[in-house]
Amino acid sequence: MALYKHSAYVKTSTSDEFDKVYSPGASTPHSGIYRCEGCANEIAANQGNPLPPQNHHQHTSAQGSIRWRMIVYAQ
Ligand SMILES: [Zn+2]
């Protein structure tokens, strides 16, 4: 789970961007922290760069494929 110390630097958002899920290797739509829906692994990604590929980390069959969801939006 992503952590922070000073609440003055983060705030909640209702943006639909937090509801979208991306495939491995998809272009990163917004710079920020992304979480794998299968295993909760978190990564930082820069806008325009590809999200980590399917072989970024291993999943069990129950975890399915890697799917990335933005959890922190860097402005
Ligand atoms: Zn994963």
Side-chain angles (χ1 to χ4, degrees):
M1 182 168 291
L3 305 176
Y4 67 92
K5 183 173 182 179
H6 300 290
S7 62
Y9 305 139
V10 290
K11 66 178 181 180
T12 58
S13 167
T14 59
S15 172
D16 292 343
E17 297 304 311
F18 293 96
D19 301 325
K20 298 176 181 176
V21 177
Y22 298 93
S23 299
S27 180
T28 303
H30 307 285
S31 296
I33 298 174
Y34 288 73
R35 177 184 183 274
C36 175
E37 295 278 280
C39 70
N41 190 355
E42 295 168 350
I43 57 101
N46 292 318
Q47 184 172 7
N49 289 351
L51 289 162
Q54 183 59 44
N55 64 359
H56 178 256
H57 58 278
Q58 296 300 310
H59 275 184
T60 66
S61 58
Q63 290 172 321
S65 60
I66 292 175
R67 289 99 59 205
W68 297 111
R69 177 194 293 263
M70 184 177 68
I71 61 169
V72 178
Y73 190 139
Q75 296 192 91

